[in-house]
Amino acid sequence: MSSNRPIEKHIALRGSNIHYTRNGPASEIAICFLPGWGGSRWVWDYHAEHWAQNFRTLNIDFPGFGHSALPLGTRTVDQLAKDLCLVLDEEDIKQCIIVGHSYGGLLAMAIGQLRPQQVLAVIGADSFIHMDLYPQQAQQTIDEMLAYIRLDYQGALMELGSSYLTENCHPAIRASVLREFRSSKPGDGIKILAMFLSYDMGKTLSSYPGPVAAIVDGNKYAIEKERFIPAFSERIDLCVVENSNHFLMLEEPEKFAELLTPLITKFSSL
């Protein structure tokens, strides 16, 4: 592994702090990792350390979760993206590849739209395949989903988290994922979810000029492929992993790293 030790850092922003871990040597291209909604940067620890052998890596908390509280006045996904651009500026990142899990992939795409010359490529981990993201959700649908979650926020998150993990998931990983979900603040969690449900992902995908790839769960792909293939198969390069789950980078980190390697190699040589 890299001789550079990981450094915990934070940026003060509108009554909050964005926490992240920097690791690896200074490099022309950095690799940034973003967790999904309800998660924090620990889900990428293995991969951030792995890639720090050859690249500067930034492992960033999703604003509103982990150690990063939601900055005051944040109302849109674009604002979240602008806030995370400050991390790139703080670390003087000239170019980067962003790897995002779930909604972290959408947030990565939003950053790429804002900084197209800086973000060489976006890679999703079980991202972009959920066709309900395209186009923007109707307000009635958003209200119904949020009303359900508001009734029992913790219960809804436990149900969601459990559904994301396979029966063979290591007990320690399962416990960590569910503990992370339980620790999230209902106010911030619901506010952030509302931002993403109302976000026009199709528009962002059209606006961002860089390449987009995703390593996705085969079970979800089987459900979505009839809608996905005609709409986005030429825009998003998919690697489908059979018998996996939503947290594929956690349950089988070595296998995920093998799948990620050709994508990083390809995009870092652009």
Side-chain angles (χ1 to χ4, degrees):
M1 293 294 177
S2 168
S3 60
N4 292 266
R5 298 177 64 85
I7 300 174
E8 301 289 327
K9 302 188 69 175
H10 72 271
I11 296 175
L13 178 66
R14 300 198 309 278
S16 175
N17 291 295
I18 297 177
H19 285 254
Y20 64 98
T21 303
R22 187 187 73 194
N23 201 355
S27 56
E28 292 186 6
I29 298 170
I31 303 176
C32 304
F33 294 92
L34 292 174
W37 179 82
S40 64
R41 64 189 187 275
W42 75 270
V43 301
W44 286 116
D45 281 350
Y46 173 93
H47 300 281
E49 180 70 13
H50 173 80
W51 288 100
Q53 297 176 73
N54 299 304
F55 292 88
R56 169 63 46 86
T57 64
L58 301 177
N59 193 6
I60 309 169
D61 265 347
F62 199 111
F65 301 104
H67 291 98
S68 296
L70 186 66
L72 296 175
T74 304
R75 295 183 176 86
T76 67
V77 173
D78 286 336
Q79 182 63 62
L80 286 175
K82 289 178 182 178
D83 291 345
L84 292 186
C85 284
L86 297 177
V87 176
L88 303 182
D89 295 341
E90 173 69 17
E91 295 298 329
D92 195 27
I93 301 300
K94 299 296 187 290
Q95 291 184 309
C96 65
I97 297 167
I98 306 181
V99 185
H101 176 233
S102 191
Y103 275 173
L106 276 67
L107 187 53
M109 186 82 71
I111 296 171
Q113 183 186 32
L114 292 173
R115 300 280 185 91
Q117 301 303 316
Q118 194 173 23
V119 180
L120 290 176
V122 170
I123 303 172
D126 211 36
S127 297
F128 314 131
I129 191 66
H130 303 265
M131 291 303 293
D132 289 341
L133 298 172
Y134 320 92
Q136 183 177 352
Q137 293 283 334
Q139 190 59 48
Q140 181 178 350
T141 302
I142 296 172
D143 292 342
E144 290 173 354
M145 294 180 68
L146 295 178
Y148 169 74
I149 293 176
R150 285 191 181 100
L151 285 175
D152 183 6
Y153 180 78
Q154 293 296 335
L157 261 64
M158 291 302 98
E159 180 181 346
L160 184 65
S162 296
S163 70
Y164 282 159
L165 301 162
T166 65
E167 293 181 358
N168 298 324
C169 177
H170 192 285
I173 293 176
R174 178 180 295 275
S176 294
V177 169
L178 296 181
R179 182 171 60 249
E180 191 78 29
F181 274 41
R182 280 195 299 269
S183 67
S184 67
K185 298 177 181 178
D188 285 351
I190 292 171
K191 184 183 295 185
I192 295 166
L193 182 59
M195 294 178 199
F196 279 94
L197 291 175
S198 61
Y199 189 59
D200 192 340
M201 184 60 199
K203 181 179 179 180
T204 301
L205 185 60
S206 298
S207 300
Y208 172 60
V212 180
I215 301 170
V216 301
D217 171 24
N219 298 317
K220 184 62 178 177
Y221 178 68
I223 297 171
E224 300 281 13
K225 67 180 181 179
E226 290 188 6
R227 291 195 293 167
F228 179 87
I229 290 174
F232 299 113
S233 60
E234 294 185 2
R235 178 66 177 100
I236 303 174
D237 183 13
L238 286 189
C239 174
V240 180
V241 184
E242 301 299 336
N243 302 315
S244 187
N245 72 90
H246 191 57
F247 286 92
L248 61 173
M249 74 287 191
L250 271 178
E251 290 207 32
E252 296 185 88
E254 295 87 357
K255 180 177 181 179
F256 187 89
E258 289 178 2
L259 297 172
L260 188 59
T261 295
L263 296 173
I264 296 291
T265 302
K266 175 183 176 181
F267 296 146
S268 62
S269 63
L270 293 176

